[in-house]
Every structure is written in structure tokens, then in C-alpha cells.
Amino acid sequence: MEVKTSLLDNMIGVGDMVLLEPLNEDSFIENLRNRFDHNEIYTYIGSVVISMNPYRSLPIYTPQKVEEYRNRNFYELSPHIYALADEAYRSLRDQDKDQCILITGESGAGKTEASKLVMSYVAAVCGKGQEVNKVKEQLLQSNPVLEAFGNAKTMRNDNSSRFGKYMDIEFDFKGDPLGGVISNYLLEKSRVCKQPRGERNFHIFYQLLSGASDDTLMKLKLDRDFSKYNYLSLDSANVNGLDDAASFRTVRNAMQIVGFMEAEVQSVLELVAAVLKLGNIEFKPESRINGFDESRVKDKNGETIVGLDNQQLYCGTEFPVTVHMDTHLTFLSNFCAYYARDALAKNLYSRLFSWLVTRINESIKAQAKTRHKVMGVLDIYGFEIFEDNSFEQFIINYCNEKLQQIFIELTLREEQEEYIREDIEWTNIEYFNNAVICDLIENNQNGILAMLDEECLRPGTVTDDTFLDKLNTICAEHQHFESRLSKNSKFLTDHSLPHSCFRIQHYAGKVLYRVEGFVDKNNDLLYRDLSQAMYKATHSLMRQLFPEGNPAKVNLKRPPTAGFQFKASVGVLMKNLQTKNPNYIRCIKPNDKKVAHIFTDSLVCHQVRYLGLMENVRVRRAGYAFRQPYESCLERYKMLCKKTWPQWRGPTRDGVEVLLTDCSVPSEEFAYGRSKIFIRNPRTLFTLEERRRACLEDLATLIQKIYRGWKSRTHFLLLKKSQVVVAAWYRRYAVSLLLMQSFIRGWKVCPCPHTSIEYMPVSLQMQKYFLGLKTTTMSPMDNTWPTQPYGFLEGAHTELRRIFHLWRCKKYRGQFTEEKKSVYEEKLEASEIFKDKKALYPSSVSQPFKGDYLEIQKNPKYQKLNGAVEEKVLLADLVNKINRANGKGSPRLFLLTKSNFVLADQKTGQVKASVPLPDLASVSVSTQSDGFFALKLKEGSASASKGDFLLSSEHLIEIITKLHRIGTTAADRDQINIDISDE
């Protein structure tokens, strides 16, 4: 058996935290630091992968690495994200288990990069083929598009995902990708209008202004200068390492690959430009006689928004109010006008992003209707604790609470199932259940989200302070809620807890939330007259994004709140994840400076705590720290016991029992499962490793000794053999010299001076004859051959000529590819069928058999027809179907597969007839040079009711030949008779 490597070989630190001794927070952090310093950025906790962001490129993602981890057991090699991806893919492909890969961590920890690595690995190891490669390319190219519109530069990350993404990749029974579905969660649309200092807006704005051509910018009426747009922050517009112009070209190419039409791309860019221009609209306050403040647009000729005339847009500063059947025109205040402008910009961009996701899903969704195997990849925002935490951080952290809950539940369930499956006694594990925190947030009666929705919907004056008052009333006694007026607040004068804030004790620590903006952000409302103005736009995509603006479909029902929508989408996500086998990647960033080679202990410790990694290790070690299949265990440690070395003959479990008994391992330190050995204490494993290492050193010494002896002996035998060869060559030289002397002496004695060929020695004539053979050409059609010098060479002469001809024929055939060989075989079969029988045949000999004369795979006109034919099309041609009633011909598409022939309408591609080949009795053709042929169906077959077919084609010889080959090669089918006559 091949000796495999293992994560225990040449280990830097401990590759699996389950084996860490002693186990505490300090040793955990120190082990991560040790591995990070040696460029080991991946570490296991059982089957969970911890990924450290190196902030630099490492040579560990090469095609060679992909092949190294392909089809290898999880613990065979050192920890790597490829090992987890391979384990998930093989479980999906071979065991038919749907998988999900959950990637969590802080912003900047490398979650997006991890999801790309997983997808690229799966794309590299799954099947190949034109359609499969197209699907893989579309799935991979959806990332640059979503990153451009959904990612931004933040203080923590230059390419931070400002939305959550979950992708279900669908596979067929062979493990080849069929398509995918993307779900997006909570785009941070507030960034469109305002960015924190040192951060940027979404990438697409900068990419468009930097990378678009001058003609494109002229059409969009944009300027390359970032400073001319109020929505673009200037202090960090240019980012080191980010080439916005090159990224824009990448995004345009990716959109084309995914399937966007050029008109769609142009529409998207026009709406991106519209958002930029909206930010440049400014208002001036005016006071009316009645004392109310109003606002007017400063420069009505300033910005022109695509698809909208200025009158439609500027009407956004006024709206009608109907009182007692009288309609009055009311103007917005200056503050409300700016609020309405920003709300429109945020809604327009958010809806555009949702449309992009929907459009990508239309392109990448699986076309097949059979049951799919599914692998989900979740790349979602990590737990966020900022100096100023608002509504966005609240629902992001709520999502992370739900993910932590499912992580603990599924981890415990997986542990328990393995113990039960292996018939090992299960030990109950104490752990913190964060269901109480989830209930505090999502409870339908008195949860924080429910109370926020209630405040948004109730009549009367509603403010953020009234919402906080309600929280203080209902949640005052909750153990995980704190505010100035709650029972859990220790000091009313605590300056760390302002009056306008509340604090929640999350599983990752306490987070202080400022209630300012909670009600407004949860409402997420847009003035109805703005929606109607957008719907009146001439821009088709803009109209599509604001369907509620249709006056004919006015809906007075209040739209669901942002919190309600997010809670519902998270609930759907959790149900989806619970139906799949989970795989976890926990991403950690080593420092806040985004530079390589820096490891900040306090920052890493904080992430280890809120990710619950120590708790995860304790759950894993509650019973047995290490488990390994009997085969792997015996193969690794068999050299420790004379009875199992070098080869154990018998059941592997018996071999492991003999091995552990011989090594004097205490019986309380291990347990035997059905297929695995369970070791309780990591120290026992390390003791076995130390003994194995010492034994390997002894074996290495023995191998070196044997090798040196073999090398010396081999060298001696080589010297001896060389001496014999040298002596033989010398003797041969001496004999040749003596022979030459005898010839020279004989020539001197010979009285005849003739030098003609007949007086030449026989050996020289034979030598000249054999040397002349090399001038013979390699063409099998060349019959030339040197003449024989002597009659006694006649047998050898004939045999050499025969052998040489066979050899050069073989060399000629060896140049053929399989495809070319198949074409020649078809041509040979056509010759056997039609030669000297059909007058049309001689003219077809020089015509190559093409097969697909309609280019059915490439021509979009026949895409529907191509989908209707499930098998590979062997021949596609345009034929004339002769009407038996009047003799007129109708053009038809003729498709031939291994099982059927199909006739379809030339214009519509609609299938007119599909006949299984077993129903075909014979094919009749005339001996003349016409292209007519008749397909006769078997009496009593399912297709017999359609009657026989009389067809005409320019490629008759090829059609009949392929029909004959299919009937000949199919084992379960009678051979199709070919009738050539004039009857």
C-alpha cells in the first residue's frame, strides 16, 4: 500500500487545534502566530478550516496544488482550503449529499477571496466539455460583476463586500455544474450618498469614470474628474493596488460572458450615471407668506438625468395633498428635499443591484429539469462592532447570531451522529446557547424587530426616542439588554451608555447601538410622486425598477419594512442551510493595517472569542480528540509492531488492536468504533508520533545501508561488464584488421586490373544493396524497390519488401487522429455500400463527411431545437420531404442521433416527426445519380402510423452510411437494410 503523507508530518505548531496541548486561549493564539510566521495560513479544528489573511500572494493555489489535493482524504495533507473544498465536492458527487460552505469572519478577513478559491477549485476538478466549461466560466465571471456593484473600499478592507451573498451551485449526477442561483442580502445602500472618512463609494462609480472610453462618457454626459460629483469622496478616491480602469474592462468582459446584451450593459451604465447626477442636484430654501419653508432646485438646467425630463425630476420638490376633495400642491422643505433626493438615489442603486442579481440568475440557472445536487457557498458580512453602530450593524449582527446558532447546532449534531454511527458512548456537552439572544431580536411579540415595526406602523408622532422608550419598557429585565433605564444598567451615570443608545450582550461581546436613524432606515420609504416620476421615464430599465409608480396599479398598502424583509430572508437562508451538510471556513485578519507579516495578538484574540473557536475545540474534544479510519491508522503506525510490519495479513481492525496492545497504550485512552479508532488524549497520539519518528530514523539508516551496498555492488558489476565489452571490441578490431590485410594481399597478387562491379567482392555488393534501401520513399503508393544483386537473395529481397511496405503503412496510419480515422472508416463503409452500385457515389468520394451542416450547436436560431434533442446530434442537414399526395417537396431539418431521426420545420424549428431507429426497417435508394431515399418503417411499430418517408438530400451518401453504421454497432437493434435498386 502507498504510504501517504499526513498533517502530522513536518508539522509547524499543531495543524489541528483539537490536538493542541495544553488547550487554553494563550496556546491557541500562540499556535496561530507560529503557523502564520511560517506562511501556514490554514489550521483545522476537526473539519473546520481557520483561514488567516496573509495580505499578500502565496504560491499555494497553483494547478499543481489542485492536483495534489484532488481526491485525497481530508487529513492526508497539511491544512488547506482545497482539502475542505475537495471533501465537500466528493461528498456531493459520490454520496449524493447536498453541501453548503459557510464562510464567516470580519471585514477584511478574506471571506470573498475564500469563496473565490472554493469556486475555482470545484471548477478545476469537475468535468470538462464545451457546455460544462461555459457554465463554469459564467459562474466564475459573476463574481467580478457583483464585486464592482456591491463592494467598496473601507477602512478595514480595500475590497469589502457591502452585501451578503449566497450561491447555490447545481450539479448533475456526474458532478458537472449545470448552473447556479445567487441570493443577495442587505446591500449597504446608505453608502451611495455618504461614506465615512477614508472610505469610498461602490467600485463601479470609480471604474466607470476611470475606464470608460471618451465616447461612452460623452454619451453618458459624465466627466472623469471625481471632484465634480458630490456622492464620491475625494480623500480616498485612488487606492494603491486598485486599477479602476483595468477593473472596468474586466467587468465589461465578465458581463458579456455571463450573458448581458450590449443594450443591457448600456442601460446599466446609464443608471449608474443617473445616480451620480442625482447627487449634484442642489436646492435653495424659500420662505412663503404662510410661514412654511419651501425648497426650489438651484439650477434647473444643471443636470439632465437619462430617461427623465427636468420637469418630471424637479416635481420631486412638490407633492399633492388632497383634503375634502380639494387637491393642493405642497412643497418640501429644504431638508426634506435633500432627504428625498438621497432616498431616490439609494433606492435607484439598490433596485439596480437587485435587478443585476436577477439578470445574472437568468443566465446561470440550470436548464435541465432533473433533480440537481446542490453546493451552497455563503459569503456574508462578519460580526461588526464599530465606534458608531446603527441599524445596519444591528441586523448584520442579528444574522451572525443566527449563523452562530446553526453552527453550534450542526457541529453538535455532527459530533453526536458520528458517535452514534461508530457505536461510541456519547457524552453530553455544556455550551452557550445563543437562542435567547436570537429570541430577544426576532420574537414576533416582544422582539426588538417586532417593536421597531410596530413603531413604524403606529399612528401619531414616531421618533427614535419613542422606539427606545418602548425597548426600555418591554426589554428592561432581559439579561442580554442594557440601556440607561433598564434593570441591567449598573450605573445611571455610566458615560459609556448614552441616553440615546442601547446595548446587547451578543455571543461575540457587548455592542452599543445608537437608535438615531433606526425608524427611518427600517421604513425605507420613497415618496410616491418620485416613484411615479421614475415610472414615467422613457428609460425602459428605470421604468422596470419602479413598478409601483404605475398610476393604474396604485397600491395604498404599506410596503414591508427593511427589518421584516431581512428577517424573512434570513429565515429562508437558515432553512436552506439546515437541509445541507455544512462545511465551515472561519476567516481571521491578523492586523488592522492590511499589511503582511504583522500579527496583532489582541485583535486575533478578539476574533477567536466572537467566532467561538475555543468553544468549537472543546465541543470536538468533549469525547475523543482524534479519530482515524483503521486503514490509515494501521498504515501510519504499523512499523511500531513486529507483527504488523511490514505487512499485516488480516482485518485492519484486528491489526490496530494488535498494534495498540504491543505499544502498551492504556485501554481507557482509546475506543474502537465500527470503522475508526478513537483516541481520547492528544498526548497519546503525540507519543505514538514520537515513537514512529524514531522508528523511521532506524528504518532510514537500514535503507541507507542497503542502498550503499547495492550501489557499490552495482558499480563493481558495471566495471566488470565494461571490461568485457572493451576486450570484445578490441578482439573484433584485431580480426577486422587481419581480414583487411588478407584482402590487400590478394588484390596485389591478382593479375586482372578490372575494377567493375562484377569483380567487386560479394560483401561490398551486398553492403551497397542494403545501403540503397534507405532511399526508398515512405509513401505506401510507391512500388519502387532496389533490384537484387544476386539470385540467392531472392527470398530475403521479397520478404524485406513485404515487411517494409507493412511498416510504412503502419507509420502512415499512425498519423491519423481518432476523428480522422472515424471519417476514413465511414468513407470505407460508404465504398462497401455504394461502389459500382450508385451512380452518385464517385462524385461523393472527394467530399468530406461533415456531419453538422447546420451548425446547430452555434446557431441561436436552432437553440430551441437543440434543447429538444437530448442526445448528441450525429448529423444535421436540410432535406426535402416529398409529399406522397402531390409530389411536392417541403424543406425539413433532418437530425440523426444514435437512437432517433428527427424531422423539424426549417423556419420555426418545431419537431414534426421523431422516429426511434428500432422502428426503421430499411432504407431504399436508386442506382441513379439522384439524391432520393425512402425510409421504410416496420409494420406494427409505434411509428408505423406516420407512414414511410420519401426524402431528398445532397448528402445522401453520408446519411445512408451513418444510418448503416448506427444499426451495425448497436447491440440491441436489428441491422438496417440498405436496398439499392431501380424498383
Side-chain angles (χ1 to χ4, degrees):
M1 182 183 293
E2 179 188 1
V3 177
K4 305 287 188 183
T5 57
S6 167
L7 62 84
L8 296 170
D9 286 326
N10 302 319
M11 185 167 54
I12 297 172
V14 178
D16 190 342
M17 289 293 188
V18 175
L19 304 177
L20 188 62
E21 283 288 327
L23 176 61
N24 54 57
E25 195 172 80
D26 292 338
S27 63
F28 193 100
I29 303 299
E30 181 59 31
N31 188 55
L32 287 179
R33 170 193 278 276
N34 185 21
R35 292 179 61 77
F36 179 78
D37 290 341
H38 290 82
N39 297 328
E40 294 286 346
I41 63 172
Y42 296 112
T43 308
Y44 292 153
I45 301 178
S47 59
V48 177
V49 175
I50 303 174
S51 172
M52 299 284 291
N53 190 344
Y55 288 115
R56 61 194 179 98
S57 297
L58 294 175
I60 58 174
Y61 307 111
T62 60
Q64 291 76 18
K65 276 289 181 183
V66 171
E67 290 302 318
E68 185 179 340
Y69 280 86
R70 186 174 187 173
N71 293 329
R72 302 293 287 267
N73 291 329
F74 190 74
Y75 293 108
E76 261 186 54
L77 303 173
S78 58
H80 201 290
I81 195 171
Y82 284 171
L84 179 136
D86 186 76
E87 184 79 7
Y89 175 71
R90 286 193 294 116
S91 296
L92 175 136
R93 182 193 62 193
D94 302 336
Q95 302 176 23
D96 205 19
K97 294 180 180 178
D98 287 351
Q99 304 290 316
C100 62
I101 298 177
L102 310 183
I103 307 172
T104 55
E106 278 194 9
S107 178
K111 300 187 298 298
T112 301
E113 191 63 27
S115 68
K116 291 180 188 176
L117 290 171
V118 170
M119 291 178 63
S120 64
Y121 179 85
V122 173
V125 300
C126 65
K128 303 292 188 293
Q130 184 176 357
E131 286 300 319
V132 173
N133 290 339
K134 179 182 177 182
V135 171
K136 290 193 291 188
E137 190 65 17
Q138 286 187 331
L139 291 173
L140 294 175
Q141 291 300 322
S142 66
N143 278 323
V145 180
L146 294 179
E147 285 185 18
F149 287 86
N151 289 22
K153 188 263 183 190
T154 67
M155 294 297 291
R156 299 185 175 190
N157 187 0
D158 289 343
N159 187 32
S160 176
S161 297
R162 307 318 302 158
F163 70 104
K165 183 179 76 170
Y166 176 76
M167 174 183 279
D168 266 335
I169 308 174
E170 301 174 346
F171 298 83
D172 62 12
F173 70 97
K174 304 187 301 296
D176 294 341
L178 297 171
V181 179
I182 299 173
S183 303
N184 64 299
Y185 302 93
L186 190 68
L187 177 73
E188 188 190 25
K189 59 185 178 182
S190 60
R191 180 173 293 272
V192 172
C193 303
K194 184 179 179 182
Q195 305 94 43
R197 187 171 183 82
E199 298 190 2
R200 295 204 315 177
N201 209 324
F202 292 101
H203 291 326
I204 188 62
F205 296 113
Y206 305 92
Q207 293 173 357
L208 174 61
L209 297 181
S210 300
S213 64
D214 293 335
D215 290 341
T216 300
L217 291 181
M218 187 178 299
K219 291 179 182 178
L220 298 177
K221 296 182 174 59
L222 293 178
D223 194 291
R224 292 196 189 278
D225 188 358
F226 298 156
S227 63
K228 293 188 177 181
Y229 300 99
N230 296 332
Y231 281 165
L232 301 184
S233 58
L234 299 179
D235 55 339
S236 58
N238 296 309
V239 182
N240 292 333
L242 285 183
D243 187 345
D244 291 318
S247 297
F248 182 73
R249 292 190 292 270
T250 301
V251 172
R252 287 294 303 267
N253 181 59
M255 294 179 78
Q256 183 181 5
I257 292 174
V258 170
F260 283 80
M261 307 298 291
E262 189 61 33
E264 292 176 319
V265 176
Q266 186 63 26
S267 296
V268 170
L269 297 182
E270 287 171 353
L271 293 192
V272 173
V275 174
L276 285 176
K277 295 175 185 177
L278 278 174
N280 287 356
I281 297 176
E282 297 184 349
F283 306 92
K284 56 184 178 181
E286 291 184 357
S287 297
R288 293 176 67 90
I289 300 175
N290 56 12
F292 290 101
D293 291 333
E294 297 178 353
S295 64
R296 297 284 185 181
V297 176
K298 277 186 180 181
D299 182 8
K300 292 195 174 185
N301 297 320
E303 294 292 342
T304 303
I305 310 300
V306 61
L308 293 170
D309 58 44
N310 287 349
Q311 188 62 32
Q312 287 176 324
L313 183 64
Y314 300 144
C315 283
T317 61
E318 55 191 39
F319 59 94
V321 177
T322 304
V323 181
H324 299 299
M325 305 301 292
D326 293 329
T327 301
H328 304 276
L329 208 57
T330 302
F331 288 84
L332 297 175
S333 67
N334 205 48
F335 171 79
C336 291
Y338 277 108
Y339 173 85
R341 180 200 69 178
D342 291 346
L344 176 59
K346 290 187 289 187
N347 267 272
L348 177 57
Y349 191 83
S350 175
R351 296 180 188 210
L352 174 62
F353 185 79
S354 298
W355 179 87
L356 279 170
V357 174
T358 304
R359 178 64 184 81
I360 291 173
N361 283 337
E362 289 177 1
S363 295
I364 66 175
K365 67 181 179 181
Q367 301 298 326
K369 297 182 180 180
T370 56
R371 183 191 177 276
H372 305 149
K373 303 177 182 181
V374 178
M375 177 184 290
V377 180
L378 178 66
D379 173 14
I380 204 161
Y381 8 64
F383 200 87
E384 293 188 348
I385 306 177
F386 299 147
E387 292 183 7
D388 187 9
N389 301 290
S390 187
F391 178 74
E392 291 87 357
Q393 283 69 47
F394 174 73
I395 56 178
I396 284 173
N397 293 343
Y398 158 62
C399 180
N400 277 271
E401 286 285 358
K402 296 293 289 181
L403 288 173
Q404 176 67 8
Q405 186 180 29
I406 198 173
F407 172 69
I408 292 295
E409 288 178 357
L410 293 179
T411 302
L412 286 174
R413 187 179 72 188
E414 183 183 357
E415 283 290 298
Q416 186 172 8
E417 286 177 353
E418 180 165 23
Y419 281 113
I420 294 174
R421 186 169 57 249
E422 295 291 331
D423 199 17
I424 301 293
E425 185 178 351
W426 167 252
T427 305
N428 288 326
I429 300 172
E430 294 293 332
Y431 67 98
F432 170 66
N433 190 346
N434 66 333
V436 62
I437 304 175
C438 296
D439 186 69
L440 169 66
I441 298 173
E442 67 181 3
N443 189 282
N444 291 329
Q445 278 74 37
N446 53 10
I448 295 177
L449 286 176
M451 286 185 281
L452 181 59
D453 284 353
E454 187 177 325
E455 279 296 292
C456 292
L457 298 175
R458 76 173 177 83
T461 303
V462 176
T463 65
D464 296 317
D465 292 331
T466 60
F467 166 61
L468 182 59
D469 291 339
K470 177 166 281 192
L471 290 183
N472 289 331
T473 302
I474 298 179
C475 303
E477 297 185 1
H478 198 285
Q479 57 181 334
H480 292 276
F481 178 86
E482 296 179 14
S483 72
R484 273 297 185 95
L485 300 179
S486 70
K487 298 291 180 64
N488 293 323
S489 180
K490 297 181 180 178
F491 305 102
L492 293 178
T493 59
D494 184 1
H495 296 291
S496 67
L497 189 57
H499 286 283
S500 61
C501 299
F502 66 92
R503 189 156 51 204
I504 293 180
Q505 174 68 54
H506 287 283
Y507 78 92
K510 293 184 178 182
V511 183
L512 184 70
Y513 299 102
R514 191 176 300 277
V515 295
E516 180 182 352
F518 261 63
V519 173
D520 182 41
K521 291 175 181 178
N522 189 51
N523 268 324
D524 194 25
L525 296 177
L526 185 67
Y527 292 139
R528 185 175 301 158
D529 56 319
L530 284 177
S531 295
Q532 292 173 351
M534 297 302 105
Y535 186 79
K536 292 177 183 177
T538 59
H539 195 275
S540 60
L541 180 55
M542 187 176 288
R543 287 170 56 88
Q544 188 178 340
L545 297 181
F546 292 87
E548 76 276 12
N550 186 352
K553 299 181 180 179
V554 174
N555 186 3
L556 299 178
K557 185 178 179 180
R558 187 184 182 94
T561 62
F564 178 85
Q565 294 179 61
F566 186 75
K567 175 185 171 183
S569 61
V570 168
V572 172
L573 174 64
M574 296 302 121
K575 289 180 181 178
N576 192 348
L577 297 180
Q578 286 176 335
T579 63
K580 297 178 173 62
N581 184 55
N583 305 270
Y584 300 96
I585 302 173
R586 303 298 222 180
C587 298
I588 294 177
K589 61 178 181 180
N591 61 77
D592 274 328
K593 299 179 180 180
K594 296 181 284 190
V595 295
H597 306 297
I598 296 180
F599 188 96
T600 307
D601 288 12
S602 58
L603 178 64
V604 174
C605 181
H606 167 71
Q607 296 172 83
V608 167
R609 286 176 182 172
Y610 88 67
L611 287 172
L613 300 184
M614 289 293 296
E615 192 170 40
N616 188 203
V617 176
R618 294 190 182 100
V619 166
R620 176 78 179 191
R621 288 180 57 159
Y624 294 88
F626 183 80
R627 66 231 35 198
Q628 192 176 35
Y630 290 125
E631 294 81 0
S632 301
C633 180
L634 183 61
E635 185 65 27
R636 185 168 184 82
Y637 301 112
K638 62 183 180 180
M639 71 282 297
L640 303 182
C641 174
K642 292 182 179 180
K643 297 178 182 178
T644 58
W645 178 260
Q647 197 70 39
W648 169 257
R649 306 292 182 185
T652 51
R653 172 170 175 165
D654 295 345
V656 173
E657 291 181 4
V658 169
L659 173 65
L660 295 180
T661 302
D662 190 72
C663 292
S664 302
V665 179
S667 58
E668 63 272 11
E669 283 298 315
F670 61 86
Y672 295 110
R674 296 181 186 274
S675 63
K676 297 180 180 179
I677 179 70
F678 288 72
I679 297 177
R680 188 181 302 276
N681 196 320
R683 179 49 50 194
T684 302
L685 182 68
F686 293 144
T687 300
L688 291 174
E689 280 295 309
E690 291 171 1
R691 294 181 61 179
R692 177 178 180 271
R693 191 174 297 110
C695 189
L696 286 177
E697 291 177 357
D698 295 339
L699 288 174
T701 303
L702 177 62
I703 292 171
Q704 288 176 350
K705 181 181 71 173
I706 295 173
Y707 171 74
R708 290 191 184 108
W710 170 83
K711 186 176 181 181
S712 298
R713 185 166 55 255
T714 303
H715 181 64
F716 167 75
L717 293 176
L718 182 61
L719 289 177
K720 184 178 179 181
K721 182 179 179 181
S722 300
Q723 186 271 333
V724 172
V725 171
V726 169
W729 274 98
Y730 173 76
R731 295 188 187 97
R732 181 179 179 182
Y733 168 76
V735 172
S736 300
L737 187 60
L738 183 61
L739 183 62
M740 289 177 61
Q741 289 175 350
S742 63
F743 269 106
I744 291 172
R745 293 188 188 102
W747 174 75
K748 287 182 178 181
V749 172
C750 181
C752 185
H754 300 295
T755 56
S756 58
I757 188 70
E758 58 268 20
Y759 294 100
M760 189 180 296
V762 173
S763 60
L764 293 180
Q765 290 197 42
M766 291 177 64
Q767 182 182 20
K768 183 177 180 181
Y769 166 71
F770 286 118
L771 289 175
L773 296 182
K774 68 179 182 180
T775 61
T776 308
T777 64
M778 291 296 294
S779 172
M781 305 299 294
D782 186 7
N783 292 322
T784 60
W785 189 254
T787 57
Q788 63 186 50
Y790 295 105
F792 68 85
L793 289 177
E794 182 178 357
H797 176 80
T798 305
E799 187 64 18
L800 281 174
R801 185 173 185 177
R802 186 186 69 82
I803 293 173
F804 180 77
H805 180 69
L806 293 176
W807 175 74
R808 64 184 176 184
C809 288
K810 182 178 182 300
K811 295 288 287 185
Y812 182 77
R813 291 195 303 272
Q815 299 173 4
F816 286 13
T817 61
E818 290 298 324
E819 181 179 357
K820 191 174 180 182
K821 189 182 297 183
S822 177
V823 171
Y824 273 89
E825 288 176 352
E826 286 187 349
K827 282 288 185 180
L828 181 61
E829 190 162 341
S831 172
E832 295 173 353
I833 297 173
F834 294 104
K835 188 176 181 181
D836 300 329
K837 298 178 184 178
K838 176 75 174 171
L840 181 67
Y841 172 72
S843 61
S844 71
V845 173
S846 60
Q847 303 286 337
F849 286 174
K850 185 177 178 182
D852 186 1
Y853 292 93
L854 304 178
E855 295 186 343
I856 192 170
Q857 297 290 341
K858 301 178 182 177
N859 196 332
K861 177 180 177 182
Y862 302 127
Q863 186 173 5
K864 177 180 177 183
L865 180 60
N866 190 30
V869 181
E870 297 181 355
E871 293 183 298
K872 179 181 178 182
V873 176
L874 303 178
L875 185 141
D877 190 17
L878 182 64
V879 302
N880 268 335
K881 178 180 179 294
I882 309 303
N883 193 317
R884 288 171 293 195
N886 53 21
K888 293 183 179 180
S890 302
R892 290 288 186 266
L893 302 179
F894 182 85
L895 306 183
L896 179 64
T897 69
K898 287 186 177 180
S899 302
N900 303 271
F901 73 82
V902 177
L903 291 175
D905 188 87
Q906 180 191 10
K907 296 181 179 179
T908 64
Q910 182 179 0
V911 176
K912 293 295 186 179
S914 179
V915 178
L917 291 183
D919 291 352
L920 184 61
S922 64
V923 182
S924 296
V925 297
S926 72
T927 60
Q928 307 303 316
S929 59
D930 57 79
F932 291 100
F933 63 100
L935 302 178
K936 298 182 181 180
L937 304 182
K938 293 180 180 178
E939 295 183 3
S941 65
S943 304
S945 60
K946 300 176 183 177
D948 298 339
F949 294 92
L950 179 59
L951 307 173
S952 172
S953 171
E954 295 179 357
H955 307 103
L956 176 140
I957 300 297
E958 182 176 356
I959 292 175
I960 305 303
T961 301
K962 289 188 182 293
L963 279 171
H964 185 266
R965 281 177 64 85
I966 294 172
T968 304
T969 55
D972 59 344
R973 186 181 306 149
D974 294 335
Q975 182 171 326
I976 299 173
N977 294 323
I978 309 299
D979 182 18
I980 304 176
S981 66
D982 286 328
E983 295 182 3

